[in-house]
Amino acid sequence: MAKNTYKSNTFKSNQGKTKSKKVRAPKVQLNFLKDRRLQLSVGFFLLLASVFILLACFSYLFTGKADQSVVEAFFDDGQTVKALGQEARNWMKLLGALTAHKLIFAWFGVAAFLIPPLLFIFGYKIVWGKSLISLQRATVFTVFFLLWISLLMGSMSRSGDGVSEWSLYSGGIGYQMSVYFDSLLGFGTILLLAFTLLVFLIFYFNITQVFTLKKATTLTTEKAPVMAEEGQEAPVTSKASEPKSADNESDTEEEPTGDSEEELKNWVVSLKEEQEQQKAASEPEPAREEPETEPAEEPQEIELTTDIGATKEEPESDDGSLELEIEPQTPAPEPRKEAEPAFEVEIKETADKLVEKAGHYDPTLDLAKFQFPTIDLLQEYSTGKINVTKDELQANKDKIVETLTNFKIGISSIKATIGPTITLYEIIPEAGVKISKIKNLEDDIALSLAALGIRIIAPIPGKGTIGIEVPNANKEMVSMRSVISTEKFMNSDKALPVALGKTISNEVYVADLAKMPHLLMAGATGQGKSVGLNAILTSLLYKKHPSQLKFVLVDPKKVELTLFNKIERHYLAKLPDSEDAIITDTKKVIYTLNSLCVEMDQRYDLLKDAACRNIKEYNKKFVDRKLNPEKGHKYLPYIVLVIDELADLMMTAGKEVETPIARLAQLARAIGIHLVVATQRPSVNVITGIIKANFPARLSFRVTSKVDSRTILDAGGADQLIGQGDMLLSMGSEITRMQCAFVDTPEVDEICEFIGSQKGYSSAYMLPEFAGDEGDGGKADMDLSDRDALFEEAARLIVSHQQGSTSLVQRKLKLGYNRAGRIIDQLEAAGIVGPFEGSKAREVLVPDEYSLEQLLNELNNN
């Protein structure tokens, strides 16, 4: 059976194979070839050259003999171009005469007429990006018949001992080949030409059978099993076409169809092509449980001795394991497995036969030539070596020990683990020392070290030590390239691998967004939040094919995510009536979030029909051809919703944004929709309880207060970070400190340019349509006969202040938000205020109170 293979970005690496250093050849940068202006110039040159050569060769058939003297004079006598050009009879003058003479007389003869179409096909592909026919097939066809026709014409020109008039059309190459093969084969040259033409046609048109005298019978499908439960397409079986085997000898007898094996295979191939035209969608990669971090190199752990009379540690035993003798027991008999229902066995066998003949469904075939971004697009900002001296470690150790000694706290040992920006000092206090006593000395230790961002972990989870995190004097930048190029990320089998950075122990941290399953980010301005979003998006672009992943990008600030516009036809999803894939308008954000909820409900219906629990099981069934596309089934891509600034949306829309986000966070995990939400200030009115409860994974950069730290992480410490990518990741009960990988804006731009320059889908991935509750601004659906009792009072208030604000109605009339919102909608329907404009107040359409009274009288009369 064919193996299920997915197209994913797997880097080839020689790391770990040898310790010897290899000298790499310098890479040749040909970036100028990516210039679209150069490409268009070359393309139009090929188009015009094809027309020029065609006219020159066609004219040569009539003027070639007359221009023979002109050509000889050009190569022999060296006359001026002006004089020879006046004598040339060719339609393209001297250059046309020379070109046609070389192509027809000196080289290929009349076969040279195949060259202009080939140049035209290449030029059309370069200019318009579309292939009239396959470039490879066109090139093979042209090269073969250039030689074949030349040899044929050369053989026909050699009649008897002389040379016939056909010699003009054979060309020099054809004539020389005919002389050689005439001496070798004689009249057998004609047989050789016939044989080579036959072989070419067999391979070019993939001919695998010839006509026979057998009477063909129609293909019957009466015995084909019907996939009632799974909706699977039933393969056509033919007993006459399949050889008997040990497996099918026991099968029930079927009616003979007389169909050939080749016809059945062609039918299956056509079925596969139809299914491959379905909308491409992403696949989940098999997710295996593995530790969240894998060391890129051995962490630097240095034992620091103390001279304070500490007691020595007792040596540990060589082998602390206990050996237990277990009496052998007779294994219990395995329970008998119940026989599967007959229809399930039938479905499985039929699916296996169809997969064996047509292969697994591959969603990447729509963009089969898609190339993942290369590592060269990322810059290396660091040397990979941590600049922490022994003197710095010893000085910090002495200050820590001195501070603790002043407060009468003894230490039995201390060890340092060096990271890119932070060094972790692990201490073991003497017996009888309270942990809380050390925890309360955080500010005193920070004062003695004169360092920003001292953080005490008391105790370190899983260890019997207390950790003190001290910033390094010389920080080492963690580049995105150093993280992406590691074996941990290159060979990752996670569904949505995200390379976040390096931990304190210098280990590369690769998380699985599908396992989180949603991520909540926070951080003050300039602390690395936008870089963290770019790192997440870049990681996914390096590992997932466009058919496997789609992004929904929400950017209220309108500047942070605009670079990703270039990959709209590859990775982005949007509403059907939306022009821009990057969503910036608040009203469109509401529609998009509700559209994702509709998409979620539709996907759950598909999972229900397919009897699957999650997207992984569903896509596997679809790949194995157990689901029928004609019944609405399709390959489902992962969808990642990225919101860059949640606070602005909560201020302008409130519940309209909170409700769909909460629904998605609660339910969307199983069907492959995952959320990455970022905000500057994690206050409780932005990160509400219902949102926070459904985001188990929290990522915090430096915040301004301990209250904000507890809001985002449910623990302190984020206010003690040193900034510039220093962050804390909370997953469950574990908090990990790491340095975020840095990816600069030009790098993201080059990656998006590399992807956007390739062939993509005809448009972005379309989300389901969603009609808002307000309809056409709420005006068409509002019944003005049922106005609020305070409608007129609110109208006079709005017109007198010339400010169409819901908060103004709330404040002045002492109303709740819902009632004030309904009054504003009624005012809009009556034409008093304009439509919703995001964070701005609505426009007041009535200029003065006199005009308002006239309008109110008309409404009352109606």
Side-chain angles (χ1 to χ4, degrees):
M1 183 182 296
K3 294 183 179 179
N4 185 7
T5 58
Y6 302 113
K7 186 167 185 179
S8 180
N9 191 11
T10 303
F11 301 93
K12 294 182 179 179
S13 176
N14 294 325
Q15 297 180 5
K17 293 183 179 180
T18 176
K19 295 183 179 180
S20 61
K21 296 183 179 179
K22 296 183 179 180
V23 179
R24 296 182 178 179
K27 297 182 180 179
V28 180
Q29 299 291 340
L30 299 177
N31 293 330
F32 69 92
L33 295 178
K34 300 179 182 179
D35 191 345
R36 184 57 182 166
R37 297 170 296 179
L38 176 62
Q39 295 175 357
L40 289 176
S41 301
V42 174
F44 281 115
F45 172 78
L46 294 177
L47 292 175
L48 296 177
S50 66
V51 177
F52 175 84
I53 295 175
L54 179 63
L55 294 176
C57 291
F58 188 75
S59 176
Y60 181 83
L61 300 178
F62 308 101
T63 62
K65 294 181 180 180
D67 289 340
Q68 186 71 23
S69 60
V70 175
V71 174
E72 292 177 355
F74 179 81
F75 289 109
D76 298 335
D77 299 341
Q79 297 185 23
T80 61
V81 173
K82 181 178 180 181
L84 294 177
Q86 293 175 352
E87 297 181 15
R89 303 287 298 277
N90 193 285
W91 297 345
M92 300 290 104
K93 288 302 180 180
L94 180 60
L95 182 58
L98 296 174
T99 303
H101 175 80
K102 282 294 183 182
L103 292 177
I104 296 179
F105 183 81
W107 292 344
F108 304 112
V110 292
F113 280 94
L114 295 173
I115 295 178
L118 181 64
L119 296 179
F120 186 86
I121 292 172
F122 273 91
Y124 189 89
K125 170 66 176 177
I126 295 175
V127 174
W128 286 282
K130 300 179 181 178
S131 298
L132 297 175
I133 60 175
S134 173
L135 299 182
Q136 181 179 1
R137 291 174 63 85
T139 304
V140 172
F141 182 90
T142 302
V143 172
F144 174 79
F145 279 104
L146 277 176
L147 301 177
W148 192 87
I149 294 177
S150 298
L151 178 57
L152 176 64
M153 291 298 180
S155 301
M156 295 176 63
S157 68
R158 296 177 54 80
S159 58
D161 296 333
V163 179
S164 68
E165 60 182 3
W166 291 94
S167 60
L168 178 64
Y169 307 117
S170 64
I173 294 178
Y175 181 79
Q176 294 297 331
M177 288 194 301
S178 67
V179 172
Y180 176 80
F181 282 105
D182 183 65
S183 302
L184 182 64
L185 298 175
F187 288 107
T189 304
I190 303 300
L191 297 178
L192 175 64
L193 288 169
F195 173 74
T196 54
L197 178 61
L198 181 62
V199 172
F200 174 80
L201 294 177
I202 290 174
F203 280 92
Y204 191 79
F205 294 103
N206 194 24
I207 299 175
T208 56
Q209 66 176 3
V210 295
F211 296 103
T212 62
L213 298 179
K214 281 184 167 186
K215 183 178 180 182
T217 59
T218 58
L219 197 64
T220 62
T221 59
E222 296 178 358
K223 295 293 183 177
V226 180
M227 301 302 154
E229 290 296 323
E230 298 290 352
Q232 177 189 347
E233 299 172 349
V236 178
T237 58
S238 175
K239 192 170 184 178
S241 63
E242 296 183 0
K244 292 184 178 180
S245 62
D247 295 330
N248 58 26
E249 284 179 359
S250 60
D251 295 340
T252 58
E253 186 175 359
E254 299 181 358
E255 294 180 6
T257 63
D259 191 24
S260 65
E261 176 70 16
E262 192 59 34
E263 291 173 343
L264 177 61
K265 183 180 295 183
N266 292 337
W267 176 86
V268 174
V269 170
S270 65
L271 173 63
K272 180 181 178 182
E273 292 177 353
E274 290 179 3
Q275 290 187 346
E276 287 172 352
Q277 292 176 359
Q278 297 289 331
K279 193 171 185 179
S282 71
E283 69 186 78
E285 298 189 5
R288 294 198 297 261
E289 293 295 335
E290 63 180 59
E292 289 296 331
T293 59
E294 178 179 319
E297 60 185 32
E298 289 296 329
Q300 301 186 33
E301 296 185 355
I302 302 176
E303 291 288 346
L304 303 175
T305 59
T306 57
D307 300 327
I308 55 176
T311 59
K312 296 183 179 180
E313 296 181 359
E314 297 182 0
E316 298 181 355
S317 59
D318 295 335
D319 188 3
S321 61
L322 300 177
E323 298 183 358
L324 302 178
E325 296 183 359
I326 303 177
E327 297 181 359
Q329 299 179 357
T330 304
E334 295 183 359
R336 293 180 59 185
K337 296 182 179 179
E338 297 182 359
E340 297 182 0
F343 72 91
E344 292 185 3
V345 175
E346 192 174 21
I347 289 175
K348 183 177 180 181
E349 291 178 353
T350 310
D352 291 344
K353 291 179 182 179
L354 185 59
V355 170
E356 184 175 357
K357 294 181 182 297
H360 291 274
Y361 173 77
D362 188 357
T364 65
L365 289 180
D366 281 353
L367 297 180
K369 296 183 179 180
F370 177 80
Q371 296 181 357
F372 287 94
T374 60
I375 295 295
D376 297 334
L377 299 176
L378 297 173
Q379 301 295 326
E380 183 62 73
Y381 295 98
S382 60
T383 61
K385 297 181 180 179
I386 302 174
N387 301 320
V388 178
T389 63
K390 186 72 174 180
D391 295 338
E392 180 182 346
L393 293 175
Q394 191 65 31
N396 289 338
K397 165 254 172 184
D398 293 339
K399 292 178 181 178
I400 292 174
V401 172
E402 181 182 357
T403 303
L404 296 178
T405 304
N406 292 337
F407 290 92
K408 300 180 180 180
I409 298 176
I411 301 174
S412 59
S413 68
I414 183 170
K415 181 178 68 174
T417 303
I418 304 174
T421 57
I422 300 294
T423 298
L424 174 65
Y425 294 87
E426 297 183 52
I427 62 175
I428 299 178
E430 293 181 346
V433 176
K434 291 184 178 181
I435 296 179
S436 59
K437 190 175 181 181
I438 300 179
K439 180 68 175 176
N440 294 332
L441 297 178
E442 188 173 70
D443 294 335
D444 297 282
I445 297 176
L447 177 63
S448 64
L449 294 175
L452 175 66
I454 299 297
R455 179 170 169 261
I456 295 180
I457 310 173
I460 297 178
K463 295 183 179 181
T465 59
I466 296 175
I468 302 177
E469 296 174 351
V470 180
N472 297 336
N474 298 317
K475 303 177 182 63
E476 181 70 17
M477 181 181 293
V478 177
S479 65
M480 195 68 192
R481 177 168 182 165
S482 66
V483 177
I484 291 288
S485 60
T486 58
E487 293 289 339
K488 171 68 177 177
F489 184 82
M490 285 192 292
N491 300 326
S492 173
D493 60 350
K494 301 179 185 297
L496 294 175
V498 175
L500 294 177
K502 291 186 178 181
T503 63
I504 293 178
S505 57
N506 209 34
E507 299 172 351
V508 175
Y509 194 99
V510 179
D512 189 358
L513 184 59
K515 296 284 186 180
M516 286 185 176
H518 311 295
L519 179 62
L520 185 61
M521 300 176 61
T525 303
Q527 302 304 315
K529 186 172 72 284
S530 297
V531 175
L533 285 176
N534 287 337
I536 293 175
L537 295 174
T538 302
S539 301
L540 296 175
L541 291 178
Y542 267 90
K543 285 297 291 183
K544 305 304 292 184
H545 190 270
S547 63
Q548 303 165 357
L549 174 67
K550 301 297 176 184
F551 294 116
V552 177
L553 303 181
V554 177
D555 184 15
K557 291 188 285 188
K558 302 180 182 182
V559 294
E560 294 295 342
L561 302 177
T562 53
L563 294 176
F564 295 94
N565 264 325
K566 299 177 182 178
I567 61 173
E568 175 179 342
R569 294 186 298 111
H570 296 81
Y571 284 99
L572 300 190
K574 65 178 183 179
L575 294 173
D577 58 345
S578 178
E579 296 181 359
D580 298 327
I582 310 296
I583 306 159
T584 57
D585 182 66
T586 305
K587 181 61 66 176
K588 290 185 178 180
V589 172
I590 297 173
Y591 288 163
T592 303
L593 293 176
N594 285 280
S595 176
L596 280 175
C597 292
V598 176
E599 173 82 9
M600 176 182 68
D601 295 335
Q602 292 178 355
R603 290 191 172 198
Y604 269 116
D605 291 338
L606 293 177
L607 264 64
K608 177 183 177 182
D609 294 339
C612 299
R613 296 182 302 170
N614 52 53
I615 189 176
K616 179 180 177 181
E617 295 179 3
Y618 177 88
N619 281 340
K620 187 178 186 306
K621 274 193 174 183
F622 191 86
V623 167
D624 293 340
R625 301 187 182 275
K626 296 180 180 179
L627 301 175
N628 191 349
E630 295 180 356
K631 295 188 177 182
H633 292 287
K634 59 183 179 180
Y635 198 90
L636 301 180
Y638 281 94
I639 298 178
V640 177
L641 169 63
V642 179
I643 300 177
D644 185 39
E645 186 50 68
L646 179 63
D648 181 74
L649 298 179
M650 294 296 291
M651 289 174 60
T652 56
K655 290 290 183 180
E656 293 179 287
V657 170
E658 180 184 2
T659 301
I661 289 179
R663 281 204 68 209
L664 293 171
Q666 290 170 349
L667 302 174
R669 172 184 182 179
I671 44 84
I673 299 179
H674 303 278
L675 281 63
V676 178
V677 179
T679 184
Q680 287 186 359
R681 187 176 185 273
S683 56
V684 292
N685 60 337
V686 174
I687 304 178
T688 61
I690 192 171
I691 291 179
K692 186 176 178 181
N694 293 286
F695 282 81
R698 323 269 180 78
L699 183 62
S700 178
F701 295 88
R702 186 182 180 186
V703 293
T704 56
S705 66
K706 293 183 179 181
V707 176
D708 291 343
S709 177
R710 294 190 177 278
T711 303
I712 181 67
L713 297 176
D714 291 331
D719 56 312
Q720 297 294 332
L721 300 176
I722 62 174
Q724 297 181 346
D726 190 17
M727 61 185 183
L728 293 175
L729 176 65
S730 172
M731 293 186 65
S733 60
E734 181 182 356
I735 297 180
T736 305
R737 187 171 185 176
M738 66 184 75
Q739 179 67 27
C740 180
F742 177 74
V743 52
D744 203 0
T745 301
E747 299 175 72
V748 179
D749 189 27
E750 288 189 15
I751 294 172
C752 294
E753 181 68 30
F754 179 87
I755 296 175
S757 63
Q758 303 182 52
K759 178 183 177 181
Y761 298 104
S762 58
S763 64
Y765 182 85
M766 292 300 172
L767 297 174
E769 292 186 4
F770 174 78
D773 297 335
E774 296 183 2
D776 296 332
K779 186 173 182 179
D781 301 332
M782 186 66 64
D783 185 9
L784 292 179
S785 62
D786 186 18
R787 298 192 297 271
D788 192 277
L790 296 177
F791 172 81
E792 295 186 4
E793 186 176 353
R796 295 185 180 94
L797 177 66
I798 291 293
V799 173
S800 62
H801 286 79
Q802 287 294 305
Q803 180 182 354
S805 171
T806 305
S807 60
L808 177 65
V809 177
Q810 282 183 269
R811 189 170 62 255
K812 294 295 183 180
L813 301 182
K814 300 180 181 179
L815 301 177
Y817 178 82
N818 294 334
R819 185 178 180 184
R822 286 194 298 268
I823 293 177
I824 288 293
D825 292 338
Q826 294 173 0
L827 293 174
E828 179 186 356
I832 299 175
V833 297
F836 179 78
E837 297 182 0
S839 59
K840 297 181 181 179
R842 295 173 184 253
E843 180 183 2
V844 181
L845 304 178
V846 179
D848 50 42
E849 295 184 5
Y850 177 76
S851 301
L852 174 63
E853 294 300 330
Q854 289 182 330
L855 180 59
L856 294 178
N857 290 333
E858 292 178 1
L859 292 176
N860 293 328
N861 294 332
N862 294 335

